[in-house]
Amino acid sequence: MSKNKVLPPINFMNLTGIFDSHCHYDDSVFSENLPDLIEAIHKNGVSHFINIGCDMPSCRTSIALTEQFPYFYCTVGVHPEASADTLKQYPHYLTQLEDFCKLPKVVGIGEIGLDYYYDDAAPREIQKLVFEQQLALAKKLDIPVCIHSRDATADTLELLQKYKPKGVVHCFSGSPETAKEIIKLGMYIGFTGVLTFNNAKKAVTSAEVIPNDRFLLETDCPYMAPVPFRGKCCQSDMIAHTAQKMAEIKGLTAQQIIDLARENTMRAYEIH
């Protein structure tokens, strides 16, 4: 995927009140002129952002973004691919995460979960250990989680059913049956630009069965840019295209979808 070029912000459909529930503006691709980019995107209809932590350095950067921009929130957590390195480098990482969660604009623990896609990722038992530790911490603090699951549906569902966290399963592209199990747990489901891909049949059929009060919209930027920008650097204003696809699925307007997703995001992450 080529994500070298950041595109000028464009309000594609004159939508307002867009809430990007999952983004990574701490990524190095955004390092040049980030304040100007964020301000332009904000003025073009994106009212709020949740920047997602993936390891200890990105958690700190995400917190810094919430201090820099009044319309930013963040989560803090250890991504499965960072689990082994985190245990080695930050043996007291759970204490640090707990301290981070005391900050007013930290709204969840994430991005946590399991990723079995890459053979050279952290060992599965290490991933499970770190995932469970963070689920237990979220339960202790009564704070939502942001879940990453890739090629690990059975193990992810098993642990979600064990700990019964509140929060979001992000970047969903699984089956309607899996979606229904997640909804039964009282959780929310986040959709990225994947929903617009021609080969995303399962994501579309899952979106059809998800209640209107249980879906979120997200970019996962700089990844997962929707059609017609697939393969390019993704940014929050591109949610308009995902919203339009969801509108077609739900029989609503794109603005109605944006409004529902914003309300759902605020409820899921307990933002008042």
Side-chain angles (χ1 to χ4, degrees):
M1 176 182 296
S2 174
K3 57 185 182 69
N4 296 324
K5 184 178 180 181
V6 177
L7 300 175
I10 301 171
N11 193 333
F12 300 100
M13 301 171 193
N14 294 316
L15 300 174
T16 61
I18 296 171
F19 199 139
D20 187 350
S21 66
H22 190 116
C23 51
H24 298 279
Y25 283 103
D26 54 291
D27 191 283
S28 60
V29 72
F30 296 119
S31 59
E32 187 176 349
N33 299 322
L34 178 63
D36 291 341
L37 175 67
I38 294 299
E39 290 291 350
I41 292 173
H42 177 60
K43 289 177 180 177
N44 277 335
V46 182
S47 62
H48 294 88
F49 309 72
I50 300 179
N51 209 78
I52 306 295
C54 290
D55 53 28
M56 301 312 289
S58 73
C59 288
R60 294 188 179 91
T61 306
S62 296
I63 290 168
L65 286 171
T66 70
E67 296 167 346
Q68 184 175 4
F69 301 107
Y71 35 80
F72 259 69
Y73 298 90
C74 77
T75 66
V76 294
V78 176
H79 189 283
E81 291 180 18
S83 55
D85 288 343
T86 297
L87 285 180
K88 292 177 184 176
Q89 298 176 26
Y90 302 93
H92 304 294
Y93 84 97
L94 286 170
T95 301
Q96 292 177 283
L97 289 182
E98 184 167 358
D99 288 342
F100 290 156
C101 288
K102 296 173 184 176
L103 299 172
K105 296 180 78 177
V106 174
V107 296
I109 293 179
E111 173 177 355
I112 66 175
L114 301 172
D115 193 319
Y116 297 165
Y117 182 76
Y118 294 107
D119 292 335
D120 58 351
R124 294 184 180 187
E125 291 308 310
I126 296 295
Q127 290 189 35
K128 289 180 182 178
L129 170 64
V130 172
F131 186 23
E132 284 207 67
Q133 287 177 338
Q134 292 178 100
L135 286 172
L137 178 62
K139 203 73 173 176
K140 171 187 172 183
L141 300 179
D142 191 29
I143 192 170
V145 295
C146 175
I147 301 296
H148 172 104
S149 179
R150 190 178 191 190
D151 288 1
T153 299
D155 285 352
T156 300
L157 281 178
E158 180 181 349
L159 289 174
L160 293 181
Q161 289 162 349
K162 176 180 178 180
Y163 286 91
K164 295 180 171 57
K166 53 188 178 182
V168 180
V169 175
H170 108 98
C171 194
F172 189 78
S173 59
S175 68
E177 292 75 22
T178 300
K180 289 176 182 178
E181 290 300 315
I182 294 167
I183 297 300
K184 282 181 186 177
L185 290 169
M187 301 186 75
Y188 295 76
I189 294 179
F191 288 93
T192 64
V194 169
L195 193 65
T196 69
F197 296 177
N198 289 332
N199 61 348
K201 306 301 183 185
K202 286 197 295 184
V204 170
T205 54
S206 293
E208 291 172 350
V209 305
I210 292 172
N212 286 354
D213 62 351
R214 287 289 162 174
F215 71 84
L216 277 58
L217 296 182
E218 57 179 85
T219 56
D220 202 18
C221 71
Y223 308 100
M224 303 298 179
V227 174
F229 300 101
R230 186 174 183 180
K232 298 185 182 299
C233 179
C234 187
Q235 55 203 48
S236 297
D237 46 352
M238 293 179 185
I239 276 183
H241 291 281
T242 308
Q244 181 59 43
K245 180 63 176 182
M246 183 68 82
E248 294 168 7
I249 295 168
K250 295 290 190 183
L252 299 170
T253 68
Q255 186 63 60
Q256 287 174 317
I257 291 294
I258 289 295
D259 293 342
L260 285 168
R262 182 181 65 255
E263 293 166 5
N264 296 344
T265 299
M266 295 179 72
R267 193 184 317 112
Y269 283 107
E270 302 176 344
I271 297 170
H272 306 290

